[in-house]
Amino acid sequence: MASIAGQKSRLTWAVHISVALMVVLWLIPTVGLLVSSFRTTDQISQSGWWESAFPVEKAFRDRIPGEGEAQADGAYVLSGNLLTDGQNARDLKPGAKIVAFGTSGIKPGAYKAGETAQTEAGTMTVNADGAYEVTSSTSFEGSGPRVYFVADMPPAFTLSNYRQVLSSDGMGQAFLNTLTVTIPATIIPILVAAFAAYALAWMEFPGRGLLIAAVVGLLVVPLQLALVPLLRLHQDVGIGQSFVGIWLAHTGFGLPLAIYLLRNYMVGLPRDIIESAKVDGATDFQIFMKIVLPLSFPALASFAIFQFLWVWNDLLVAKVFLPANDQTKVMTVKIADDLLGSRGGDWGILAGAAFVSIAVPLGVFFAMQKYLVRGLLAGSVKGG
């Protein structure tokens, strides 16, 4: 009964659950990267991105100034505020609150805020608002005791990570270089593959079967195997390491799959339309431009998305076919060589740089996802 027309398969719910699970698994790290890109380094080091909306505890060390001591009831007294007047006042954000304090670095939170701690010469009290009072039986002589405290830091979000990435760290130039590489490396193989796919699908000429077999065979050639020979070829013909060289490299690596996918799609187009056009006297070029190309737009858009993502996220080909200088580095190389090396612990900067690098692919994917779905499902159901 499950196979009767109009009834859904029992596997429908399994498919839906699997798709939802894949989407969630993809969204979790992406959302985490976005949230982390707006957080400060201190906040990232203290808590995960899923806790970014909650206060973060951080330990501080300070020395209470000994100037301005007063005498009361035979004791010397120092008073002030650690949050506004202390050495860490610049790092403490508005709204910070002390939750614990101590007199030793081993136990910086030995006492709760508001309690009185016994010291060697007197007492120490630190309140949640930062106000403190230290007493001693002897004069402080211009040097107060050390104090350790744990403060609740309110959530902090900033755009400084993006400003620093796009200005001082050179990601702006790398972003432009990535666009310079990706756009031609996406358009060129699509143009070449579309003409080749039409010829292999609808034009009769000797050796067509061998060419189709060669295209299929090229699909299994590892990209790494061709890097060094192709670079030597580029150097012999005078291209060397340049934007032209990397455009041709990505074109060569992307053509086999593009021709294979587009040819299989074009073969499934209605034969009656093409034969009628030939009877009416249309040339192959006219048929390609006015009939085949418009009907093949979903497949072209699908491959364009994949090619764009592959080239945009490429690291290996960019390192081989582009010079190693700041004027030609793409974002993947910039992040791998410069930011990971010089800012290995600055996760806010790294998250900002990483999200800048994935922002454009995300926009391209969501803008063209309907064409992607059409291209992937084309030919799966035959018309009546």
Side-chain angles (χ1 to χ4, degrees):
M1 296 293 292
S3 60
I4 296 178
Q7 289 191 353
K8 292 185 177 180
S9 170
R10 294 178 180 178
L11 295 178
T12 301
W13 286 109
V15 173
H16 291 172
I17 293 174
S18 300
V19 172
L21 182 61
M22 288 189 292
V23 171
V24 170
L25 291 176
W26 182 84
L27 280 178
I28 288 176
T30 305
V31 173
L33 190 65
L34 176 61
V35 173
S36 298
S37 67
F38 292 103
R39 304 183 74 198
T40 63
T41 302
D42 291 339
Q43 296 264 328
I44 294 176
S45 62
Q46 295 294 324
S47 65
W49 65 268
W50 55 90
E51 300 175 314
S52 59
F54 303 98
V56 175
E57 287 190 355
K58 186 178 180 181
F60 295 89
R61 183 182 67 175
D62 207 336
R63 179 177 289 278
I64 296 176
E67 298 83 1
E69 65 181 12
Q71 285 187 317
D73 299 329
Y76 295 90
V77 180
L78 292 174
S79 60
N81 194 296
L82 293 173
L83 297 181
T84 59
D85 305 326
Q87 299 175 356
N88 301 284
R90 183 176 298 179
D91 298 328
L92 292 163
K93 305 297 181 183
K97 181 178 66 174
I98 294 179
V99 295
F101 72 97
T103 58
S104 169
I106 300 177
K107 295 182 178 181
Y111 304 93
K112 293 182 179 180
E115 293 183 350
T116 298
Q118 297 295 325
T119 62
E120 295 180 358
T123 62
M124 177 186 295
T125 303
V126 178
N127 297 319
D129 60 358
Y132 64 84
E133 184 177 280
V134 182
T135 65
S136 175
S137 58
T138 59
S139 174
F140 293 100
E141 297 180 352
S143 179
R146 285 198 177 276
V147 59
Y148 302 84
F149 62 94
V150 178
D152 260 351
M153 303 287 287
F157 299 94
T158 177
L159 291 174
S160 61
N161 294 333
Y162 286 97
R163 285 193 292 265
Q164 186 167 355
V165 164
L166 295 176
S167 59
S168 60
D169 288 329
M171 280 294 289
Q173 180 63 42
F175 182 86
L176 295 177
N177 293 338
T178 306
L179 284 177
T180 304
V181 171
T182 305
I183 294 177
T186 301
I187 296 175
I188 295 173
I190 290 178
L191 291 177
V192 177
F195 283 102
Y198 173 79
L200 295 176
W202 293 104
M203 295 178 65
E204 297 290 342
F205 57 89
R208 188 180 69 164
L210 292 178
L211 284 178
I212 296 174
V215 169
V216 175
L218 288 174
L219 291 174
V220 300
V221 177
L223 179 148
Q224 296 82 357
L225 188 65
L227 289 177
V228 175
L230 189 58
L231 180 60
R232 289 181 177 177
L233 176 62
H234 284 187
Q235 291 174 342
D236 291 339
V237 299
I239 298 176
Q241 292 179 310
S242 63
F243 284 117
V244 175
I246 196 171
W247 294 340
L248 295 179
H250 280 301
T251 299
F253 295 140
L255 272 179
L257 180 60
I259 295 173
Y260 178 75
L261 293 178
L262 295 179
R263 185 259 174 190
N264 289 346
Y265 182 89
M266 292 179 183
V267 166
L269 295 177
R271 178 177 294 272
D272 295 342
I273 299 177
I274 297 175
E275 290 181 348
S276 298
K278 289 183 178 180
V279 170
D280 292 338
T283 64
D284 284 312
F285 184 77
Q286 291 173 329
I287 294 173
F288 173 75
M289 295 298 296
K290 296 182 179 181
I291 298 177
V292 175
L293 199 60
L295 292 176
S296 302
F297 184 77
L300 294 171
S302 298
F303 177 76
I305 294 174
F306 286 122
Q307 180 71 3
F308 186 92
L309 296 180
W310 290 331
V311 177
W312 186 276
N313 295 318
D314 168 70
L315 173 63
L316 179 60
V317 178
K319 289 182 71 70
V320 173
F321 290 93
L322 283 179
N325 59 66
D326 291 336
Q327 300 302 316
T328 57
K329 282 184 178 179
V330 296
M331 284 192 294
T332 52
V333 177
K334 186 72 175 178
I335 293 174
D337 290 355
D338 297 348
L339 296 185
L340 285 178
S342 61
R343 299 184 179 275
D346 201 342
W347 294 108
I349 300 298
L350 292 176
F355 201 80
V356 167
S357 69
I358 69 173
V360 173
L362 283 177
V364 170
F365 176 79
F366 287 117
M368 302 184 68
Q369 61 175 336
K370 60 180 181 180
Y371 302 112
L372 175 64
V373 174
R374 292 178 189 174
L376 293 178
L377 296 180
S380 60
V381 179
K382 292 186 177 180

